[in-house]
Amino acid sequence: MLPYRAETPVDPPYWLAAPSKPKLKLPPGATDAHVHIFGPRNRFPFAKDRSYTPSDAPKEMLFALHALLGIEHCVIVQPACHGSDNSVTTDAVAATGQAYRGIALLPITISDAELDRLAAAGLCGARFHYMKHLTKGAAIDEVIAFGKRLAPIGWHLQIHMEAALIADLTPALTRSPVPVVIDHMGRVDASHGLEQPEFRALLALMEDKNVWVKVSGADRITRQGPPYADAIPFARKLVSEFGDRVVWGTDWPHPNHAGPIPDDGMLVDILAEIAPSERQRQALLVDNPQRLYRFAPAKRRAAATGAAS
């Protein structure tokens, strides 16, 4: 882990300064269900035990990106670099009047009062990592038991895991008392094809109607690079087979991305291949996320950003 100092040099930006405007017009109420916000760190310091120090990517940058892409709703996922102080996320959610919602990072020892406070602030789920490059968290059985405390406030669990762990974690995940959302298509390796054991394990897990998946991360599972032709079949199959339990996100500002830096306009345009029909895109981008995240009406972003919504 990195020693915490306010003046610690930051990583170069993981995002494009000028992403392209997508050719694909998104349906009204479209949702980006996976983004993060970094800083500004003079207001929201990074966690002392973080494993990376990103350049600032504040809420104003996110709002401007969404205006370009045609996004009305969003899910802001608390980034590991800010740890379990969820202030950077609750601040951004508040600026939208909860037209955007948030996902927390938190210890399972959190008090009921703090859970209630975060729920009132517009957060609706808790994320747990099972990734080698991120801080190790609670054991999966402890997380599933913790889910009993999330049920009364209408929260879900969000799981970010190595593809090799999908089969091992499945028995626990299928015992969850609340919905489970799997990040980034389970982080499978696209070069291994649709028949690989890891993706077959994900498909088997998705047979549980309590489990959802984010068809985000084409840029992470690809081994060919943009426009991610090797990754698209995985997302398309998930949308085709589990169309009522899929959501999508850009993953802006693409933390720890090894490159090439994703063009968020391109990530929107490949939705035409991931969800080829208007009906599929309506479910993926509007109906499913509204059912899972329960957004407030998108009416305050213009006031928050100074841009037309």
Side-chain angles (χ1 to χ4, degrees):
M1 297 302 170
L2 301 174
Y4 181 78
R5 296 186 180 87
E7 69 278 9
T8 299
V10 298
D11 298 338
Y14 309 120
W15 63 93
L16 289 182
S20 64
K21 184 175 179 61
K23 301 178 182 67
L24 180 67
K25 182 175 176 57
L26 299 183
T31 300
D32 182 346
H34 197 104
V35 305
H36 309 279
I37 289 174
F38 303 148
R41 65 174 177 167
N42 60 0
R43 182 180 176 195
F44 301 107
F46 295 129
K48 292 182 179 180
D49 63 348
R50 72 199 183 284
S51 58
Y52 63 103
T53 304
S55 300
D56 284 348
K59 62 181 184 288
E60 292 81 6
M61 287 179 61
L62 176 64
F63 297 158
L65 174 68
H66 282 163
L68 174 73
L69 301 181
I71 299 288
E72 293 186 25
H73 296 291
C74 175
V75 181
I76 301 170
V77 179
Q78 174 74 5
C81 61
H82 280 290
S84 59
D85 179 352
N86 292 276
S87 299
V88 70
T89 297
T90 57
D91 172 76
V93 169
T96 72
Q98 299 192 18
Y100 289 26
R101 301 278 261 157
I103 303 297
L105 288 183
L106 42 77
I108 60 174
T109 54
I110 188 172
S111 69
D112 288 341
E114 179 63 4
L115 274 177
D116 289 342
R117 185 189 73 81
L118 293 173
L123 276 61
C124 59
R127 189 189 202 199
F128 293 90
H129 294 288
Y130 299 92
M131 300 291 297
K132 294 174 183 175
H133 70 282
L134 296 172
T135 303
K136 186 177 180 180
I140 190 62
D141 288 334
E142 296 175 324
V143 169
I144 298 305
F146 175 65
K148 295 177 182 177
R149 297 178 56 202
L150 302 184
I153 58 174
W155 279 28
H156 61 269
L157 292 172
Q158 183 170 318
I159 303 297
H160 185 206
M161 58 181 160
E162 308 272 357
L165 295 177
I166 297 172
D168 290 343
L169 296 186
T170 287
L173 295 175
T174 55
R175 296 196 308 269
S176 175
V178 296
V180 174
V181 180
I182 305 301
D183 278 346
H184 306 324
M185 298 184 277
R187 298 294 295 255
V188 297
D189 182 336
S191 70
H192 294 166
L194 293 175
E195 296 303 318
Q196 63 180 281
E198 293 81 5
F199 190 59
R200 302 308 301 179
L202 178 61
L203 295 177
L205 174 59
M206 288 298 300
E207 293 295 337
D208 186 322
K209 295 188 182 302
N210 201 38
V211 180
W212 296 57
V213 66
K214 294 188 179 183
V215 292
S216 54
D219 54 290
R220 293 190 183 275
I221 75 168
T222 184
R223 296 300 178 266
Q224 296 178 2
Y228 316 122
D230 57 334
I232 287 170
F234 294 85
R236 187 164 52 226
K237 186 170 182 64
L238 290 165
V239 167
S240 175
E241 296 197 9
F242 309 103
D244 62 340
R245 287 177 285 120
V246 288
V247 294
W248 167 87
T250 60
D251 195 25
W252 185 91
H254 314 291
N256 294 304
H257 206 287
I261 296 174
D263 178 341
D264 297 283
M266 177 187 290
L267 294 179
V268 169
D269 281 335
I270 66 173
L271 284 168
E273 300 176 71
I274 290 171
S277 73
E278 292 185 3
R279 177 186 58 80
Q280 288 175 320
R281 292 195 292 276
Q282 175 71 23
L284 176 66
L285 300 172
V286 182
D287 299 341
N288 295 348
Q290 181 62 42
R291 182 158 47 96
L292 182 62
Y293 299 111
R294 308 178 306 279
F295 303 108
K299 61 184 180 181
R300 285 189 55 188
R301 194 174 73 187
T305 65
S309 61

